[in-house]
Amino acid sequence: MAGASAFHLGGDHAHRFESRAATRETPLVKWLILGLSLTFFVIFLLMPLIAVFVEAFRKGWETYITALVEPDALSAIRLTLLAAVISVPLNLVFGVCAAWAIAKFEFRGKQFLITLIDLPFSVSPVIAGLVFVLLFGAQGWFGSWLSDKDIRIIFAVPGIVLATVFVTFPFIARELIPLMQAQGREEEEAAVVLGARGLQTFWYVTLPNIKWGLMYGVILCNARAMGEFGAVSVVSGHIRGQTNTLPLHVEILYNEYQFAAAFAAASVLAVLALVTLVIKTWVENRAAQSHKDANRDDAS
Amino acid sequence: MKLSLIHRSLLALALGAGLIGSTHAQTTLLNVSYDPTRELYHEYNAEFARYWKEKTGEDLTVRQSHGGSGKQARSVIDGLEGDVVTLALAYDIDAIAEKAGKLPADWQKRLPHNSAPYTSTIVFLVRKGNPKNIRDWEDLVKPGVEVITPNPKTSGGARWNYLAAWGYALKKSGGSEETARSYVTELLKHVPVLDPAARGATNSFVQRGLGDVLLAWENEAFLSVNELGPDKFEIVVPSVSILAEPPVAVVDAVTNKRGTGKTAQAYLEYLYSPVGQKLAAKHYYRPRKPELADPTHVARFPKVNFITIEDLGGWQAAQKKHFADGGVFDQIYAR
Amino acid sequence: MAAAKTFRVLPGFNITLGFTLAYLSLIVLIPLSAVFLKTTELGLDQFWNVVSAPRVVATYKLSFGLSLLAAAINTVFGLMLAWALVRYSFPGKRLVDALVDLPFALPTAVAGIALTALYAKNGWIGQYLDPLGIQVAFKPLGILVALVFIGLPFVVRTVQPILEDLDTELEEAATSLGARRWQIFRHVILPILLPALLTGFALAFARAVGEYGSVIFIAGNIPMVSEITPLMIITKLEQYDYAGATAIATVMLMLSFTLLLVINGLQAWTSKRTGRDR
C-alpha cells in the first residue's frame, strides 16, 4: 500500500480550477478528458458491479432471499464476519504501534522495515495460502506436533483467520505511517514535557489527529478481510457449512450451476463493499469538515 | 475504542472456539469428494443418516467438501480430516497412501469392484441439433471444431478425457503409440480453453457459449442436459470410450484417530446396497449392479465399447508417462 | 532529525518497535521463510530447472508483460480520471469518486465471475465485440481486462492528492509568460505528478503480477499462451510437487520485494523533490 494513501481530504477543488482562465481547458479538451475517463470508468468499474446485481436478481426476489437464508450461506457469512472481526483489531493494534515507532522516531533500517511491512500486499494470495500449509500442514514444520496435540490450524477456522490476517496485514499501518509522519512530533513532545504520560499523550494528542485516517485504514482492512479469496481458498478445505467463507461460497454455488444464487451471495459482498465506500466517503467528509473547522479556529 | 475492539475480538474468538467445539458433540463424517458428485452425495448423505439412525440409533451428520480431485487429495495429505475420500481416480488416493501413509497401499482391494461402487465414462456434449455433425473421435479434429476439456494437470476428469482419446487412437485399427500421439496433439490444437476443473469447463461450454463440443463425464453431460436445458444440448456417445472408475476409500489414519472407522466403512459399503446403487443411477452414474437400480434409470445409459485404464498400463504408469512434468502432455505444448 | 537519535522525548519507542518486529516476524517473516527453506530441498540445478522451464518462462512473460501493460493503461486513464475528479464538476461525481475504490473492496472471485459474464462471447459487452472478431474472455486480452480492473484505484489515488494540492498560481504564472495549455501540462504539471504516477504505476504492477482470483475465471489457461505464474504454483501443488511450487513462489517473492524497495525509493525521491512531507 506504499503511498496509495487513498485518504485525502475531500472537499471540492473543481471550483478553484474552473474559475480561473489559466487552469481551464478549452471545452473540447475538457469534454474529451471527461468522456474518455468516464467511459473507462463505466466499462471497467460500473458494468461489473451492475452485472453482479442483474445476475443476482435474474430469477427474482424470492430466489435471491432463499439463496441468502440457506444455512450454508448463513454459516459462510458468519465465518466471513468472524475472520474480519479478529483480523481487523489485531492489525489495528499493530498498525498503531508500527506507525508510532516509525513516524515518531529515527532509527536505522526504517525504509527496510517499511518495505517488509508492505510485503504481504504484493505477495500473491496463492503464496500467502501456501506458506501456512508449509507451516501447519500435516507434512509441514509443526504438522506432527499439532496433530499429536489434536490442534487444527489449516482446514479449520484458525487457518482462515491467519490467512486473512496475513493478507490484510499492511493496510492500517500503511495508512497511518505517512499521516503521522506528516504531523511531526512537536505536539506530542509538548505534551510529554508538560508531564503527560505516554498513553495519555497518545489518547489525547495523537489519536484526535489521526482518527479519520485510522478509520479509513480500518475500513479498507475490513473490506479486504471480508473479500479475500485466493489465500483462504488454499487453507479452507471447503467443508460446507464449516470452513467456507462467503467468497468461497460464491465459487461453490457457481460450480453447482446455481448462478443466480452465486451472484446473490456475490451481491452481498458487493453491498458490503458499497457500504464500506459510503462510510469512507462519510469519513472523508467529516475529516474535511473538521479540517476546515480547525483552519477557522486557527484564523480567529 | 481500542479496548472495546479487543473485547469484541476476544468474544469472537470464544465464539469461534465454540463453533469448532460444537462439531464434536455428535457423530460426524467428512466426505472429501471431487466436483461432479455434489448432487449424488447431497442426497445419499441424508439417506445414509436415516439408515444409520434406524440401525444404530446414532445421530449422524455427513459433511461434504468438494473441489478438483487432485486438490482434494492434497488437502487430505496436508491434514484435512476426511473420514472417507470419494475421488475421481485411483491415482489421487494412491497419492494419499504414498505421500502421507494415511491408508494402506492396497486400499483398492478392500471394497468390491476396485473400490468403485459406480462407474462412468467420457462422452461428447454438443449443441442442440449437432450443427457440426460430431459422431466420433475423428470428428473432433475436423477443421473449425472447437473442443472444450479441462486441464489434465489439475483436473481428474480431464485425465480421463485425455486417456479416452489416447486409447481410442491406440486401439483403432492401424493404431500405434505414434498415431495416438499425433491424434492427441491434433485434438489439443482444437482446445481454446483449459479450465482448471471439470465444472469450470462445463460452465465455459454451457454458460459462456464457448466451443462446439465438451468432453465430459457422462454424469456431468446428463446433468447439463437435464438441469440446464434439454432444448440446448445433446449427448453423443463415441464408438469407443474409457471406463472411468471413481474410487472410494476409508482414510484409516483419520478414522482411527476420530473413532469413526465403523461408521465410515458402513457409509461406503452402503453405496453398494440397493439404495446406494439406485441413487448412483438416478444421478447418472452407472451402477455396478444394474439389477438393483431403477430400470428406467439404467435404460438411459447407452451401450459403450469400453477400454480400461489397465489397457493403458494402469494409473501409475499413465500418470508418469502423460501428465508428470515433462510428460507427453507437456511435450505437446512445448512445441 | 539526527538529534532525536540521541535524545528521545517521546516514550514508547522500545515497546512499539518491539511489538512491531515481533508481530511482523510472527505473521509475515517466519511464514515466508518457510517458502525459502522448502525451496532449499531442491539443489541449485534443480531449482534452476524448475524456474527456467519453458512453460514457466512463458508464464513470466505473460504475467509480467500483461501486468506492465495493465499498469500503463491504468496510468493513462487513471491520470485522466483523477484529473476529471479534481478539476471538473459533473453530475454523479461523488459516486464516481467513491466507486474508484471498488476493486479494493470487491472480492477478486466476484470480480472474475462478473468480468467473465460481461466479456464472454454471449455477454453484454462480448456480444458486440465478437462480430468484430475481438475475443476477450479466455484470451490473454481477458487477463488484461481483469488486471486493469484490480489495478485501477492505485494511480487515481496516488495522483489525486497531488493534483488537489497543486497551486493555481503555478499555471497562472506560466500562462502569463505565454505558455500554451499543452506546454504547461507537459513542462509544469507533469513533472510534479511524475513521482506519484510512477508510484501508482509500480503499485498497480505489483498487485497485478500476483493476482489469481479474478484472472483464473477469465483466462483461457492454455499452456504457453494464457497461463499466469500463480497458476503454475497451483499446478505444481496439484502434482504434490511442493518444492517446485515454492521454487516459483521464491522467484515471485524476490521480485515483489525488489519492486517494493523500488516503490519506497520512489516515494522517498518524491518527497524530496516536491518537498512534501511523506
Side-chain angles (χ1 to χ4, degrees):
Chain A
M1 284 297 298
S5 184
F7 183 72
H8 58 107
L9 298 177
D12 205 347
H13 294 263
H15 177 72
R16 186 156 63 93
F17 292 106
E18 280 179 331
S19 62
R20 288 175 168 80
T23 52
R24 242 188 340 235
E25 274 81 39
T26 57
L28 180 73
V29 175
K30 175 180 167 177
W31 290 114
L32 200 67
I33 292 177
L34 259 183
L36 277 175
S37 60
L38 289 184
T39 308
F40 181 73
F41 167 81
V42 168
I43 290 179
F44 281 97
L45 280 175
L46 205 54
M47 294 278 279
L49 187 65
I50 294 173
V52 169
F53 283 96
V54 169
E55 294 287 335
F57 286 107
R58 179 150 282 177
K59 295 209 173 134
W61 271 101
E62 273 170 41
T63 323
Y64 184 81
I65 301 292
T66 330
L68 297 185
V69 296
E70 187 227 352
D72 287 344
L74 288 179
S75 107
I77 293 174
R78 247 196 322 269
L79 182 59
T80 302
L81 293 178
L82 179 75
V85 160
I86 296 175
S87 52
V88 173
L90 278 177
N91 286 334
L92 174 66
V93 173
F94 161 74
V96 170
C97 283
W100 181 267
I102 288 171
K104 304 293 179 191
F105 301 96
E106 293 301 323
F107 54 91
R108 226 186 292 180
K110 197 194 251 189
Q111 206 60 39
F112 192 68
L113 179 63
I114 296 179
T115 305
L116 285 179
I117 291 176
D118 281 340
L119 202 53
F121 164 72
S122 71
V123 167
S124 177
V126 170
I127 299 178
L130 172 65
V131 296
F132 292 107
V133 173
L134 291 177
L135 284 182
F136 302 117
Q139 320 292 316
W141 288 3
F142 304 114
S144 50
W145 186 81
L146 287 170
S147 106
D148 286 347
K149 298 270 181 297
D150 201 17
I151 303 171
R152 274 181 288 166
I153 305 270
I154 58 167
F155 309 123
V157 176
I160 292 170
V161 171
L162 265 178
T164 311
V165 171
F166 181 95
V167 175
T168 56
F169 181 86
F171 277 76
I172 298 175
R174 243 9 206 114
E175 201 55 51
L176 287 183
I177 291 169
L179 192 64
M180 279 167 72
Q181 277 177 333
Q183 273 157 359
R185 49 178 166 249
E186 287 81 6
E187 289 184 41
E188 281 88 354
E189 279 170 355
V192 169
V193 169
L194 291 173
R197 280 180 300 137
L199 274 181
Q200 281 178 320
T201 311
F202 175 76
W203 200 257
Y204 293 108
V205 179
T206 313
L207 195 59
N209 279 333
I210 61 166
K211 61 182 174 195
W212 298 116
L214 190 84
M215 194 93 124
Y216 183 68
V218 166
I219 289 168
L220 270 189
C221 180
N222 183 53
R224 188 85 169 81
M226 291 194 294
E228 178 50 30
F229 173 77
V232 170
S233 164
V234 179
V235 296
S236 141
H238 303 272
I239 307 169
R240 280 199 88 142
Q242 213 172 329
T243 62
N244 271 327
T245 62
L246 204 45
L248 297 179
H249 191 61
V250 173
E251 192 204 17
I252 286 187
L253 290 172
Y254 191 71
N255 279 341
E256 286 178 0
Y257 309 130
Q258 302 186 39
F259 303 109
F263 277 102
S267 76
V268 172
L269 288 161
V271 166
L272 287 175
L274 286 177
V275 169
T276 302
L277 296 179
V278 168
I279 299 175
K280 191 209 85 182
T281 313
W282 178 78
V283 165
E284 281 175 358
N285 283 346
R286 285 295 302 267
Q289 196 62 43
S290 66
H291 190 68
K292 229 184 269 167
D293 290 348
N295 283 350
R296 203 170 42 232
D297 290 350
D298 288 349
S300 64
Chain B
M1 175 178 137
K2 228 167 66 185
L3 247 178
S4 76
L5 276 175
I6 293 167
H7 209 87
R8 254 200 294 165
S9 71
L10 281 176
L11 208 87
L13 263 174
L15 244 160
L19 263 174
I20 307 160
S22 69
T23 58
H24 289 294
Q26 62 174 160
T27 318
T28 58
L29 282 183
L30 175 61
N31 177 359
V32 177
S33 194
Y34 64 115
D35 264 327
T37 59
R38 289 167 198 270
E39 292 76 15
L40 167 63
Y41 282 111
H42 187 69
E43 200 172 345
Y44 177 75
N45 289 346
E47 280 296 328
F48 181 73
R50 193 176 310 140
Y51 160 78
W52 193 246
K53 173 92 179 161
E54 258 172 39
K55 196 180 163 207
T56 66
E58 247 180 4
D59 279 316
L60 176 74
T61 314
V62 185
R63 294 193 177 279
Q64 281 299 137
S65 166
H66 291 282
S69 189
K71 179 179 173 161
Q72 294 294 78
R74 186 166 50 77
S75 295
V76 173
I77 292 171
D78 282 330
L80 179 63
E81 296 197 330
D83 302 274
V84 300
V85 284
T86 54
L87 297 177
L89 36 97
Y91 177 77
D92 288 328
I93 303 185
D94 280 344
I96 301 174
E98 181 195 332
K99 314 254 170 198
K102 292 195 172 184
L103 66 173
D106 66 344
W107 61 271
Q108 207 164 6
K109 302 216 168 67
R110 297 195 298 186
L111 285 166
H113 300 290
N114 284 334
S115 286
Y118 41 75
T119 64
S120 191
T121 187
I122 301 301
V123 298
F124 306 159
L125 191 67
V126 297
R127 305 204 182 276
K128 191 75 191 176
N130 198 354
K132 297 265 165 115
N133 195 23
I134 288 156
R135 298 282 162 222
D136 204 356
W137 291 100
E138 286 304 331
D139 299 324
L140 300 183
V141 293
K142 278 199 233 156
V145 174
E146 283 194 336
V147 182
I148 307 294
T149 174
N151 188 340
K153 288 255 186 184
T154 52
S155 156
R159 278 178 226 168
W160 288 115
N161 291 349
Y162 174 102
L163 290 175
W166 183 275
Y168 155 78
L170 191 68
K171 299 289 171 193
K172 78 170 182 183
S173 62
S176 67
E177 285 283 313
E178 284 73 44
T179 57
R181 192 186 174 110
S182 64
Y183 173 74
V184 171
T185 306
E186 189 56 35
L187 178 64
L188 286 172
K189 279 188 195 146
H190 289 256
V191 177
V193 175
L194 284 170
D195 283 287
R199 281 276 157 117
T202 313
N203 272 335
S204 295
F205 180 77
V206 168
Q207 282 290 307
R208 305 292 160 230
L210 209 69
D212 303 302
V213 53
L214 173 75
L215 300 188
W217 293 97
E218 183 179 50
N219 53 302
E220 281 284 280
F222 270 118
L223 190 72
S224 310
V225 169
N226 293 355
E227 294 277 306
L228 302 164
D231 50 335
K232 287 191 207 141
F233 308 104
E234 327 183 337
I235 294 173
V236 172
V237 180
S239 63
V240 173
S241 191
I242 198 161
L243 177 70
E245 298 180 310
V248 300
V250 172
V251 185
D252 301 32
V254 175
T255 52
N256 288 345
K257 188 172 147 194
R258 299 186 63 226
T260 48
K262 265 205 182 108
T263 323
Q265 184 69 22
Y267 177 78
L268 294 187
E269 277 169 4
Y270 197 60
L271 282 168
Y272 292 88
S273 76
V275 175
Q277 294 288 297
K278 261 196 192 85
L279 280 178
K282 181 181 170 192
H283 290 281
Y284 315 112
Y285 281 94
R286 293 178 179 232
R288 282 294 191 174
K289 301 169 189 162
E291 65 278 9
L292 298 180
D294 192 332
T296 55
H297 289 159
V298 176
R300 296 185 298 201
F301 300 115
K303 201 176 143 21
V304 179
N305 293 319
F306 286 125
I307 42 173
T308 66
I309 183 70
E310 276 69 37
D311 297 340
L312 301 172
W315 267 114
Q316 290 297 337
Q319 174 75 23
K320 206 165 158 198
K321 175 173 166 188
H322 294 282
F323 309 122
D325 273 354
V328 175
F329 179 77
D330 279 356
Q331 292 164 19
I332 287 173
Y333 274 106
R335 262 176 224 165
Chain C
M1 287 265 166
K5 219 176 227 169
T6 50
F7 176 68
R8 288 181 181 126
V9 178
L10 295 180
F13 176 68
N14 290 332
I15 182 162
T16 52
L17 187 69
F19 176 74
T20 300
L21 292 178
Y23 188 73
L24 179 74
S25 311
L26 207 64
I27 300 288
V28 179
L29 299 184
I30 293 176
L32 287 183
S33 66
V35 170
F36 287 96
L37 279 175
K38 188 78 189 176
T39 313
T40 56
E41 283 179 12
L42 297 173
L44 206 58
D45 283 358
Q46 273 175 303
F47 176 81
W48 183 247
N49 282 341
V50 170
V51 301
S52 67
R55 194 159 157 221
V56 180
V57 171
T59 71
Y60 299 147
K61 281 185 193 152
L62 186 80
S63 272
F64 290 90
L66 287 180
S67 299
L68 274 175
L69 195 58
I73 292 175
N74 273 326
T75 306
V76 174
F77 285 94
L79 173 60
M80 269 196 223
L81 195 54
W83 187 274
L85 283 173
V86 172
R87 298 214 160 194
Y88 307 139
S89 27
F90 54 91
K93 177 168 152 178
R94 297 214 68 104
L95 178 85
V96 175
D97 196 9
L99 281 184
V100 165
D101 281 335
L102 185 74
F104 279 152
L106 197 69
T108 50
V110 174
I113 294 176
L115 287 172
T116 314
L118 283 177
Y119 287 97
K121 212 160 68 176
N122 56 4
W124 293 357
I125 301 179
Q127 59 180 317
Y128 299 109
L129 296 177
D130 193 52
L132 307 175
I134 305 171
Q135 282 184 27
V136 180
F138 312 115
K139 298 276 166 196
L141 196 56
I143 303 177
L144 183 68
V145 168
L147 295 182
V148 168
F149 175 82
I150 58 156
L152 191 141
F154 292 101
V155 176
V156 180
R157 291 310 190 207
T158 43
V159 171
Q160 209 173 359
I162 315 274
L163 267 178
E164 281 175 358
D165 282 357
L166 219 57
D167 279 330
T168 45
E169 284 84 9
L170 220 54
E171 288 160 67
E172 280 169 341
T175 312
S176 67
L177 292 173
R180 308 255 307 273
R181 197 76 193 107
W182 169 250
Q183 288 176 316
I184 296 176
F185 178 77
R186 172 77 187 72
H187 296 290
V188 178
I189 302 176
L190 201 58
I192 298 176
L193 294 182
L194 193 64
L197 276 175
L198 282 174
T199 309
F201 174 86
L203 280 171
F205 177 68
R207 176 85 171 79
V209 169
E211 177 55 18
Y212 180 73
S214 60
V215 173
I216 211 67
F217 286 96
I218 201 169
N221 306 319
I222 297 284
M224 312 297 284
V225 178
S226 50
E227 274 185 327
I228 54 169
T229 311
L231 179 67
M232 278 326 289
I233 299 179
I234 296 277
T235 309
K236 295 271 179 211
L237 281 179
E238 305 285 294
Q239 297 169 65
Y240 316 109
D241 180 6
Y242 287 79
T246 52
I248 301 176
T250 303
V251 171
M252 291 193 76
L253 271 180
M254 297 206 292
L255 183 104
S256 304
F257 189 72
T258 317
L259 259 177
L260 284 171
L261 269 179
V262 172
I263 296 171
N264 284 333
L266 272 177
Q267 288 207 291
W269 183 55
T270 314
S271 55
K272 266 198 206 111
R273 269 180 61 126
T274 60
R276 275 165 62 90
D277 219 335
R278 48 167 276 125

